[in-house]
Structure formats: structure tokens, C-alpha cells
Amino acid sequence: MRALGLVVEYNPFHNGHLHHLTQAKQQTGADVVVAVMSGTFLQRGEPALLSRWYRAEMALAAGADLVVELPYAYSVQTAERFAEGAVTILAALRCSVLNFGSEKGEIAPFYALAEFMNDHQVAFNHHVKQFLKDGVSYPKASAQAFSMLSGHEKLLPLDQPNNILGYHYVKAIQRLGISMEATTTLRIQAGYHDKEFAGPIASATAIRKALLSGENIETAVPAHTARLIQMYKRRYRLLHTWEHYFPFLQHKVLTTPLAELAKTAECSEGLEHRLRDSLFSASSFQGWLSATKSKRYTQTRLQRLFAHLLTGTTAEENAAIQQSGPAYIRLLGMSETGKTYIRENKKTFSLPIVTRQGELRRYGQAGEQELRISQCYWLPLPPQALKQEVTREFQQKPINWEKRS
Amino acid sequence: MRALGLVVEYNPFHNGHLHHLTQAKQQTGADVVVAVMSGTFLQRGEPALLSRWYRAEMALAAGADLVVELPYAYSVQTAERFAEGAVTILAALRCSVLNFGSEKGEIAPFYALAEFMNDHQVAFNHHVKQFLKDGVSYPKASAQAFSMLSGHEKLLPLDQPNNILGYHYVKAIQRLGISMEATTTLRIQAGYHDKEFAGPIASATAIRKALLSGENIETAVPAHTARLIQMYKRRYRLLHTWEHYFPFLQHKVLTTPLAELAKTAECSEGLEHRLRDSLFSASSFQGWLSATKSKRYTQTRLQRLFAHLLTGTTAEENAAIQQSGPAYIRLLGMSETGKTYIRENKKTFSLPIVTRQGELRRYGQAGEQELRISQCYWLPLPPQALKQEVTREFQQKPINWEKRS
């Protein structure tokens, strides 16, 4: 069975994702679609609107065969680390081909870019360092450093999130020495940051915005997604946003000694003072974010820091988990095909599959981190519901998806 | 001017307190009544139902002339430490007499008890140690050790909270070598733990219980107290209970490394493991308390631990603050008489008076602790109200009470 790997967040799953999944499967002639998905907190440092279980079901309903979780130590990270974790997990599951969406739908430029960067790594790093010294953010420094290199004009621009991710998938495959083919499919959706909302294809950003203001999003998502979102709201009475976690962040920053705050992942250069000083300057998370944002500290960087603060994740913990690489594969859901694929290939997987939270105890720091962060995700629920959900999730088995006609 | 010192919590101020205040003033022939009051968290480790400002006003309306705050490092403590802090502050304000309520209204037994304990301290300490080894709580070990001493029969029983406090006031005066006369007034109220509620005199416990279940408490409190409670509920939409802080405690225990938790004041003998293990076993604070309570760990002991956890108070911080003794006197409110008393005696006060939060910065750890804990107290408010309240309190001046006819 030929397995196709996708790297996804599905926050939430929409028509653009459906198009990509279907096209990628067809284009690669795959028999089984494996999606490695950010769990509770996402690459840009935001809590997922819905739990990983609901988002996994959306993916299964749309044709994914296996949905596995990208661990927190890889998901709430720069594109490079994110790609490294995702590719490692797809490789462990013996995916022979990876596909991602791109503006042009051509893979050659990504390989060309990777080759170009291999040749110019020293100069590139030098330029990045210089720009960082001037106090700009890392993404900006990278983009500027890139534009300084001679010959970059013919290559992909590195200031678009999707290009950056695609480039890092290719790089990760090369660096890890994995025999996996990278492919790309033409995106038909709007730009990532596009906030317009019209017709069947809208960006995830536009859909989230519409969802949170109570607008109807049914034109932009598969029926199953719409149904699951309704169910989620009825069941938990919220869609998770940073505002729900804001009081916990305030409490954390108020009552944790500065020296401890400074140990938080992404909390460098005295950012803990900035957080403490601005603590009560805002009456909402978004207000606080605006108050702490600067030329050097982008919204994404700060959101990642806030995720680490909320979850008590230290730089040391993340480094230890990253150093040993993903230790297991957390299976969230599977179709009949996915189940068959696991049964037939399990022995060749290079990492063990974890199907229940109880098993996490075997995996030291990585397992502890996952358990803690899963529980953090539910903190906005009222105490009774929190207890129920934490208890329920502890026993939750992967979703066993049987395709309905 | 002869100044009378009272040690109070007023949670909330009720008819029994009014009786005591009036009687004590009359009995001691004092010109000015100084009340040193626990601020945000109380001796038994509970958040005060209403802010210190509202409780200070209740006291002023009932005839207190100065209301000053007992700092957190002394208020959320055993009777011994609590008494030491309170007596130190009253002495700094040149109170020549102290009065407390007692079941018999006679002071001689308290002095006799203090003398007896001076003579039997070694044996007493020895017995306490033995009982603690058997795994009973400190209060129980003390009471049992006391009953082991020969000659104790003629003395006050040491298993009643009010006797213990009275004894420790006398002890503190002696130990600190202060020229302050201890006096006592006959209590007319029900026992501290009495939950019955009838007539004009009810225990604070009964009043809190009635308040929290929405019952009318007007028969048991002065009209001004009743009015302030109504105002408070309208303004903040809550009376502070542990349940409001429960989610913050859960977050803290979930996301703080065990080694850090262990540094919390009162967190000894591996209690951090007990907290972590029982974290999601309950769906309410009271449930959690029941789940963690044991022969060794009383409710009061655990509540104090929870207060320290919530406020991020380490054993080290408390010890440092206690070692140097109260560094300032935080004035919450004053009557015209109180104002005159300050004006005339300020130069003889042995500690400086702080009238605004901004001044706390001059007082190192003690000032930082007060500021942090005041802010923690408001955490249950929604973000907008929290910001307002923290900002407002930062500029709040002491209440200037002009007696109305």
C-alpha cells in the first residue's frame, strides 16, 4: 500500500482542505492517506478551536485514513522544527510520498530553493545574524537575508507561510536522509491571511473569524465539519480561543518568580519583565498581545511564548524532547483502510503507536508533556465539565471511523 | 490618648463584633480603637468574602478609629505567628492595651497559662514531637501534649481557637518585651464553629454560610454591614470563596514543576505529590479539600497551603519577611479620632505608615508580596473588571471615615 503523508492543522477542516486531500491522493496514486496534525496548540501559537478528536473526525470524514498527532514540542514551533517533527512521524509510518499545497503547484522550485540554500547557508546565516542585531524579528531577518543572496530572484519568495513550510518539508526530508518524495498540489483557496469570506473556498483565518462572530460558515466547510462544530459548541459551550486562557496566563505571570518565568520556552532577552510590566495594562488577551508586540517580537512568536507559559513548558523540557526526537506516534483516529495499513505495516514502523493516554507514562518527559498539555487545553471548562473531560480523555481510544454511505 | 488594640478579621463584621468592640472600648477606657485586620486571606487560609476596603469600612462604621492591615506573611499562619505579627503592629502604633473576646471574660487564666507554659516548655515540645511522629496534625499534637502536662487541669483548655489566640497574644507581648496590657471581654456570641443561625448573635461561620446560600443575615449584622454586602455583590457580582480560585489552583498544580511546587510555603513532606495526584479527582474546591485532607493535614493547614499556592508564596519568601518583622503599617481607614491620633503620635510610631500601593515598592520583598497578593485576590473578576480594580486599588487612599449621625 502506497502511503501519502499530509501535514495539517485543520483548524477547522474546510473545503480548501478537502480539495487538497482529494487532489493529493489522486495525484500521488496513494492507497492510504496519513495526516499528521497539530494537537491542542498550533504552529502559530494558538489553541485549536476544537479538540484534536473533533478535528481528527473531520479529517476522517473527508477521506483521511490515519490521523496522528504532531507532539507539542514540534507543533508550537518555527516552520523548521515543525516540519522536522512532522516528516519524522510520517517517515516512521512509512509514508513514501508527502504532499503540501502551494500557490503554483510545482515541486521543482522547492527542490531548487533547498539546493540554493545548501549552497548559500553560510552567507544566509551571516545575514540573518546581522538583521537580528538590528532588532527585527526572525521571520523578517530570514526574508531579508534571503533577498541579500545573489540569484534569489528566480526562486520562490520566502515571505509566504506556505512557501516556508513547503521548503522546510523538503529540507527536513533531505536532512533526515529519508526516502520520501515531496510533491505539491495547486492550492485553490485564498491566501492564508485573507479575511474575505465568500463562496465555497475561504481561508482558515476567514472561517475562524466568521465562526467566532457567530456567522454561518456552512458554504465554506464540508457538511460533516459544520455538524461537528455545532456538536462541539453544544457540548462544551465554547470554541477555544486565547481569551479563554487569558486569566490563567495573568495568574501565571503574576505569581511565578521572574527567574522561573525566564525558564519558559521562547522567553529570552528578559521578555519576562515585559510580560510582568504589561500584565494589567490590557483587559483582553488581544489587548495584551498588542501591548507586548514589537518590531522584534512578532505576534506568532509571542503567542508561542504564551502557549509555553500557559502549559508550563520550559526551554529545557522542549530541548530534551526534541533532542531525542518523537518517541511514539499518538494515533487519534483511523478508517478501515487505515486500520488495515497499520495491521500490515506495524512491524516496519520505526516508532511505537500509542492509543491511550495511560500508555504515555512509558515515554518519560515526552509523555508527561503530552498529558499535561492535553489537560491544560480543557482548563476553560467549568470544574465539573473539566473533571469529566480529563477523565474521559484519559480513557479515550482512537476514533474508529467506518465510512458511511 | 489611650489606644486600644484589637486583632480582627471581620469576615464579615457582625453584631458579636460590634458588642466586643463597644465593650472593649468601654472596659478599657480607651480614647481610640485600633483594629489590625487580616487583609485578603485569613488566618484559617480562606479568602475574605469581601475586600479589605469593605471590611475596613464596616469596622469604621461600628466605631473603630484606625484599621490597619495584618500582612499576609502573618495573617495566613498559625495562631502563634498571627499573634506575633498583630501584636507587633499594635505596639508600633503605641497601643497600650489589647483586648480579645473570650468565653469567660477573665484575663488571669491566660497569664497563668502563659506562665505555666514557660515552666513546661521543654516537656511540652517533647510531647508535641512524639505526637507529630504518630502522624497527627499540629493542633491535635499540641492539645494532646498540653493534656500530658501535670497541673494543666486547672488551666484553660487549649483546644478552642479563641483560647489559643488569646494565649498567643499574651505570649507574644511577653516574648516581644512590649509594655502592653492584655485584657479580655466576655464573648456573647455562639462558638466559632457554630452553624446555628438565630437571633441577633450568630457566629461568623453561620453568617458566611447563610450569606453564601442567599439567606437574609440582617438580624445578625449591623445595618451598615448589610448595606455594604449588598453593594459589594452588586459591584463585583461575587463574594470571594475558594471555589472562585479553584481553576487557578488546578492550573498552578498542573503546570508547575514538582520541585517548584515543593518550595511553596506549608508544602512539606511531599505534599506536592498528593496535590498533583488528586488534581482532577474532584470537581470543586471543597471536594478537592476533602480528597487531600487526612489525620495529619487538617483543613486549615491545607487551606493555608492553597493560599500560598494560589499567591505563589514560597516558604523562603515568608521566612525572609517574617525574619525582619513587619516593615510598615498599611493604613486601610481612619475616623476623625484616628486621624488626630496619627497626627499627634506619628513621631513615636516605630514603623512608617503606608497609605498607597505605590509606596510598597520601598519595602522590598514585603511590599512586593503585598502588591502581588492584593492583585491575586481580584483574579476571579472578569478581565475588564480585573484591570479596573487592580488599577483603582493601586491609587486607593485610606478610607477617610466621617461619622454620620
Side-chain angles (χ1 to χ4, degrees):
Chain A
M1 288 171 97
R2 180 168 161 83
L4 160 67
L6 307 179
V7 186
V8 305
E9 300 212 293
Y10 293 161
N11 187 41
F13 191 91
H14 57 58
N15 290 342
H17 295 132
L18 178 60
H19 172 83
H20 172 242
L21 195 155
T22 316
Q23 287 294 308
K25 188 175 179 188
Q26 195 181 334
Q27 184 183 322
T28 58
D31 306 301
V32 56
V33 178
V34 179
V36 57
M37 185 179 81
S38 301
T40 45
F41 291 85
L42 309 180
Q43 202 244 331
R44 291 166 57 78
E46 281 159 345
L49 280 183
L50 302 91
S51 79
R52 46 196 173 153
W53 306 105
Y54 275 66
R55 283 155 46 239
E57 184 172 331
M58 290 172 187
L60 293 166
D65 296 301
L66 289 178
V67 184
V68 299
E69 183 170 345
L70 181 63
Y72 180 87
Y74 294 93
S75 71
V76 183
Q77 292 290 334
T78 59
E80 186 172 359
R81 184 78 68 186
F82 178 86
E84 185 188 298
V87 166
T88 303
I89 285 177
L90 293 176
L93 286 169
R94 299 288 171 240
C95 293
S96 53
V97 56
L98 174 145
N99 187 283
F100 56 90
S102 65
E103 313 308 329
K104 300 218 166 159
E106 294 163 17
I107 195 66
F110 289 93
Y111 277 102
L113 180 60
E115 199 171 317
F116 175 83
M117 289 298 284
N118 281 340
D119 296 343
H120 295 78
Q121 199 65 55
V122 176
F124 177 78
N125 291 348
H126 172 77
H127 292 319
V128 168
K129 221 180 233 172
Q130 290 302 316
F131 286 118
L132 285 176
K133 268 192 197 149
D134 295 347
V136 303
S137 67
Y138 186 82
K140 199 149 196 173
S142 297
Q144 289 179 342
F146 180 67
S147 70
M148 297 276 293
L149 304 175
S150 62
H152 74 89
E153 304 80 4
K154 295 160 290 178
L155 296 163
L156 282 171
L158 257 192
D159 54 1
Q160 289 182 18
N162 281 305
N163 283 347
I164 296 175
L165 282 168
Y167 160 69
H168 282 293
Y169 298 142
V170 172
K171 279 277 283 186
I173 290 171
Q174 293 182 342
R175 199 172 51 248
L176 296 166
I178 290 164
S179 68
M180 186 189 287
E181 181 195 358
T183 62
T184 184
T185 295
L186 187 66
R187 285 162 59 93
I188 56 159
Q189 69 170 52
Y192 187 88
H193 293 293
D194 203 329
K195 280 174 188 149
E196 278 307 302
F197 191 97
I201 300 296
S203 74
T205 305
I207 291 171
R208 285 195 290 276
K209 198 184 148 218
L211 258 179
L212 294 174
S213 48
E215 288 166 45
N216 192 324
I217 52 131
E218 287 181 12
T219 56
V221 301
H224 202 88
T225 291
R227 204 153 51 235
L228 283 172
I229 293 174
Q230 281 314 313
M231 280 172 60
Y232 200 87
K233 283 161 72 175
R234 264 204 306 276
R235 180 168 174 185
Y236 298 114
R237 313 210 160 272
L238 85 166
L239 295 172
H240 306 242
T241 71
W242 262 123
E243 299 303 340
H244 295 104
Y245 300 92
F246 181 48
F248 297 103
L249 282 176
Q250 288 186 300
H251 177 234
K252 189 82 163 191
V253 173
L254 177 60
T255 64
T256 306
L258 285 169
E260 280 304 304
L261 283 182
K263 294 180 186 167
T264 306
E266 299 273 0
C267 191
S268 53
E269 299 138 14
L271 259 174
E272 67 278 13
H273 295 279
R274 198 182 181 92
L275 295 177
R276 181 69 68 82
D277 293 345
S278 61
L279 185 54
F280 291 110
S281 66
S283 54
S284 69
F285 177 80
Q286 289 306 327
W288 198 25
L289 196 59
S290 302
T292 44
K293 227 162 53 174
S294 72
K295 200 169 65 158
R296 187 189 290 264
Y297 303 113
T298 62
Q299 173 166 335
T300 298
R301 162 79 190 274
L302 288 173
Q303 285 188 158
R304 285 188 199 127
L305 168 58
F306 287 132
H308 302 321
L309 263 179
L310 178 76
T311 58
T313 303
T314 61
E316 197 187 335
E317 184 188 51
N318 266 354
I321 294 172
Q322 288 156 1
Q323 204 189 359
S324 41
Y328 59 85
I329 289 165
R330 183 71 201 272
L331 180 62
L332 298 176
M334 55 194 162
S335 68
E336 284 301 314
T337 308
K339 211 186 287 184
T340 307
Y341 179 76
I342 290 182
R343 198 174 50 241
E344 291 180 358
N345 297 279
K346 205 170 176 176
K347 283 183 186 152
T348 71
F349 293 167
S350 57
L351 290 173
I353 287 191
V354 163
T355 57
R356 307 256 201 125
Q357 271 188 345
E359 300 166 40
L360 292 174
R361 298 212 170 105
R362 291 181 214 146
Y363 297 97
Q365 273 190 302
E368 274 171 38
Q369 184 182 68
E370 185 189 317
L371 183 57
R372 185 180 79 240
I373 286 167
S374 317
Q375 293 175 337
C376 273
Y377 184 71
W378 296 113
L379 283 170
L381 299 186
Q384 178 74 39
L386 172 61
K387 183 195 168 191
Q388 272 173 18
E389 198 52 42
V390 163
T391 311
R392 195 199 56 67
E393 196 173 54
F394 198 81
Q395 289 148 359
Q396 164 124 28
K397 290 184 226 170
I399 300 165
N400 210 325
W401 183 258
E402 293 178 31
K403 285 210 177 65
R404 292 149 201 171
S405 59
Chain B
M1 288 171 98
R2 180 169 161 84
L4 160 67
L6 307 179
V7 187
V8 305
E9 301 212 291
Y10 293 161
N11 187 41
F13 190 91
H14 57 59
N15 290 341
H17 296 133
L18 178 60
H19 173 82
H20 172 241
L21 195 155
T22 316
Q23 287 294 308
K25 188 176 179 187
Q26 194 180 335
Q27 182 183 325
T28 58
D31 306 300
V32 56
V33 178
V34 180
V36 57
M37 185 179 81
S38 301
T40 45
F41 291 85
L42 309 180
Q43 202 245 330
R44 291 166 56 78
E46 281 159 344
L49 280 183
L50 302 91
S51 79
R52 46 196 173 154
W53 306 105
Y54 275 67
R55 282 154 48 238
E57 184 172 331
M58 290 172 187
L60 292 166
D65 295 302
L66 288 178
V67 184
V68 299
E69 183 170 345
L70 181 63
Y72 180 87
Y74 295 93
S75 71
V76 183
Q77 293 290 334
T78 59
E80 185 172 0
R81 184 78 68 186
F82 178 86
E84 185 188 298
V87 166
T88 303
I89 285 177
L90 293 176
L93 286 169
R94 300 288 171 240
C95 293
S96 53
V97 56
L98 174 145
N99 186 283
F100 57 90
S102 65
E103 313 309 329
K104 300 219 165 158
E106 295 163 17
I107 195 67
F110 289 93
Y111 277 101
L113 179 61
E115 199 170 319
F116 175 84
M117 289 299 284
N118 281 339
D119 296 343
H120 294 77
Q121 198 65 53
V122 176
F124 177 78
N125 291 348
H126 172 78
H127 292 318
V128 168
K129 220 180 234 173
Q130 290 303 315
F131 285 118
L132 284 177
K133 268 193 196 148
D134 296 346
V136 303
S137 67
Y138 186 82
K140 199 149 196 172
S142 297
Q144 289 180 342
F146 180 68
S147 70
M148 298 276 292
L149 305 175
S150 62
H152 74 89
E153 304 80 4
K154 295 160 290 178
L155 296 164
L156 282 171
L158 256 192
D159 54 1
Q160 289 182 16
N162 282 304
N163 283 347
I164 295 174
L165 282 169
Y167 160 68
H168 282 293
Y169 298 142
V170 172
K171 279 276 284 186
I173 290 171
Q174 293 182 341
R175 198 172 51 248
L176 296 166
I178 290 165
S179 68
M180 186 189 287
E181 181 195 357
T183 62
T184 184
T185 294
L186 186 66
R187 286 161 59 92
I188 57 159
Q189 69 171 55
Y192 186 88
H193 293 294
D194 203 329
K195 280 174 190 149
E196 278 307 302
F197 191 97
I201 300 296
S203 74
T205 304
I207 291 171
R208 285 195 291 276
K209 197 184 149 218
L211 258 179
L212 294 174
S213 48
E215 287 167 45
N216 192 323
I217 52 132
E218 287 181 12
T219 55
V221 301
H224 202 89
T225 291
R227 205 154 50 235
L228 283 172
I229 292 174
Q230 281 314 314
M231 280 172 60
Y232 200 87
K233 283 162 72 176
R234 263 203 306 276
R235 180 168 174 185
Y236 299 114
R237 313 209 159 272
L238 85 166
L239 295 172
H240 306 242
T241 71
W242 262 124
E243 299 302 340
H244 295 105
Y245 299 92
F246 181 48
F248 297 103
L249 282 177
Q250 288 186 300
H251 178 234
K252 189 81 162 191
V253 173
L254 177 60
T255 64
T256 307
L258 285 169
E260 280 304 303
L261 283 182
K263 294 180 186 167
T264 306
E266 300 273 0
C267 191
S268 53
E269 299 139 13
L271 258 175
E272 68 278 14
H273 295 280
R274 198 183 182 93
L275 295 177
R276 181 69 68 82
D277 293 345
S278 61
L279 184 54
F280 291 110
S281 66
S283 54
S284 69
F285 177 81
Q286 289 307 326
W288 198 25
L289 196 59
S290 303
T292 44
K293 227 161 53 174
S294 72
K295 200 169 64 159
R296 186 189 291 265
Y297 303 113
T298 63
Q299 173 166 336
T300 298
R301 162 79 190 273
L302 288 173
Q303 286 189 158
R304 285 189 199 126
L305 167 58
F306 287 132
H308 302 322
L309 262 179
L310 178 76
T311 58
T313 303
T314 61
E316 197 187 335
E317 185 188 51
N318 266 354
I321 294 172
Q322 288 156 0
Q323 204 190 359
S324 41
Y328 58 85
I329 289 165
R330 183 72 201 271
L331 180 62
L332 298 176
M334 55 194 161
S335 68
E336 284 301 314
T337 307
K339 211 187 287 184
T340 307
Y341 180 76
I342 290 183
R343 198 175 49 240
E344 291 180 0
N345 297 279
K346 205 170 176 177
K347 284 184 185 152
T348 71
F349 293 168
S350 57
L351 291 172
I353 287 190
V354 163
T355 57
R356 308 257 200 125
Q357 270 187 346
E359 300 166 40
L360 292 174
R361 298 212 170 105
R362 293 182 213 145
Y363 298 97
Q365 272 190 302
E368 274 171 38
Q369 184 182 68
E370 185 189 318
L371 182 57
R372 185 180 80 240
I373 286 167
S374 316
Q375 293 175 338
C376 273
Y377 184 71
W378 296 113
L379 283 170
L381 299 186
Q384 178 74 39
L386 172 61
K387 183 195 167 191
Q388 272 173 18
E389 198 51 42
V390 163
T391 311
R392 195 199 57 66
E393 196 173 54
F394 198 81
Q395 289 147 0
Q396 165 124 27
K397 291 184 227 171
I399 300 165
N400 209 326
W401 184 258
E402 292 178 32
K403 284 208 177 65
R404 293 149 201 170
S405 58

